[in-house]
Amino acid sequence: TAGKGQWTVKQSDFAHREILRQITELELAPGTPLREVAVAESLGLSRTPVREALQRLVREGVATVVGRSVVVSRPTIRDLPEVYQAREAIEGYATALCAAHSPDIFKDLAERFAMFETLARDTDLSGKSSDPDGEYALLLSDLDQAIIDNCGNSRLTTLLSNIWTEARRIRLIVLTGGGFDRVRESATEHREICQAVAGGNGQLASQKTIEHLRASYTSAIKSVLLRQSDIPFMNLPLVGSPAKSADQR
């Protein structure tokens, strides 16, 4: 019936969100088999909504098919160029759309990023992690939510959520921390983005977003090359240039 179909869709959405959460938070490590029956039992669902959720995760690139099994995909350093190129296109446009409304929340966010800049500059952080209390991560999460809430394009927000999930997995699995100096620079870049949005300047907001992403990409590549000398920087395409085809990698 229609009612049953609607309930199945809701169950599928729940299964997708929960499996994605477990993957993103590394409760399900890369390479972990996602067995339909076992996942259904763990979530208290039937196999049909779980099957639909797994198919969706495969389409999103978070899971992959190996033989007849579905497993959690394993991001690598070579995924970085494509992820950042996609982020440039999607996030640059999303911030420009937000600027059309000049929402006040971005003025508040700019002030919070400015406070974090001051804290990072004036505090002795020698020997400490780049975000010791997780406060900066929470601030970035608030900015992400503000972009989703104010860009006014539901399809674009879906793309944003997908690419942010992939970027977060790469950061957790592949990259090392960039140190507090990079976080301080990031706070400056995000403040400038928020100020441009709050001022209604979409072109500047997009430009500042792209500048931030390219700086972040360069930092990410440098951090991983400190540990993986077998991956020459020049063999990875620059963000903003066409990505190499799969057979060229």
Side-chain angles (χ1 to χ4, degrees):
T1 64
K4 184 177 180 180
Q6 291 171 359
W7 178 241
T8 300
V9 170
K10 291 180 181 179
Q11 287 182 323
S12 177
D13 287 343
F14 166 76
H16 174 269
R17 286 195 301 269
E18 179 57 23
I19 299 169
L20 183 60
R21 182 195 65 77
Q22 294 179 23
I23 292 174
T24 303
E25 297 181 4
L26 301 187
E27 294 178 18
L28 294 172
T32 301
L34 298 172
R35 297 184 176 90
E36 192 176 291
V37 174
V39 173
E41 290 179 353
S42 70
L43 297 179
L45 300 174
S46 66
R47 294 174 61 179
T48 298
V50 170
R51 184 181 307 120
E52 293 173 357
L54 293 179
Q55 291 171 348
R56 182 174 167 187
L57 291 168
V58 170
R59 290 195 301 270
E60 294 169 350
V62 180
T64 187
V65 177
V66 178
R68 300 181 63 181
S69 302
V70 176
V71 302
V72 179
S73 63
R74 185 181 302 276
T76 71
I77 184 63
R78 297 191 182 279
D79 294 317
L80 273 176
E82 290 188 0
V83 168
Y84 273 87
Q85 286 169 346
R87 290 185 67 187
E88 278 194 16
I90 298 169
E91 293 181 42
Y93 188 57
T95 53
L97 288 178
C98 290
H101 310 294
S102 301
D104 289 339
I105 188 172
F106 284 91
K107 181 179 179 181
D108 296 336
L109 287 166
E111 293 174 353
R112 290 172 63 190
F113 278 112
M115 291 174 61
F116 203 94
E117 286 180 81
T118 301
L119 174 65
R121 183 178 62 249
D122 297 344
T123 305
D124 179 11
L125 294 164
S126 57
K128 296 185 179 181
S129 66
S130 60
D131 190 15
D133 300 315
E135 294 180 2
Y136 191 64
L138 291 175
L139 179 53
L140 291 175
S141 179
D142 288 346
L143 173 58
D144 290 348
Q145 190 61 51
I147 293 173
I148 285 176
D149 291 342
N150 291 280
C151 75
N153 186 316
S154 60
R155 289 173 174 80
L156 190 60
T157 59
T158 298
L159 294 174
L160 284 168
S161 297
N162 291 344
I163 200 64
W164 284 339
T165 295
E166 190 166 2
R168 183 171 186 270
R169 291 185 68 224
I170 291 176
R171 184 167 63 251
L172 291 173
I173 295 169
V174 179
L175 302 178
T176 59
F180 215 92
D181 284 343
R182 175 57 201 150
V183 174
R184 181 170 52 222
E185 294 167 359
S186 173
T188 299
E189 294 158 8
H190 282 102
R191 172 180 55 77
E192 292 174 346
I193 293 169
C194 292
Q195 287 174 334
V197 173
N201 192 330
Q203 183 176 357
L204 182 60
S206 180
Q207 175 188 326
K208 290 297 182 180
T209 299
I210 291 172
E211 288 176 358
H212 158 68
L213 289 170
R214 294 188 180 187
S216 179
Y217 172 79
T218 299
S219 176
I221 291 294
K222 287 180 178 178
S223 72
V224 79
L225 289 181
L226 293 175
R227 297 177 296 117
Q228 300 184 22
S229 58
D230 60 324
I231 305 178
F233 176 76
M234 293 307 295
N235 284 352
L236 293 169
L238 297 176
V239 170
S241 64
K244 294 182 178 180
S245 61
D247 60 354
Q248 290 177 298
R249 294 179 187 153

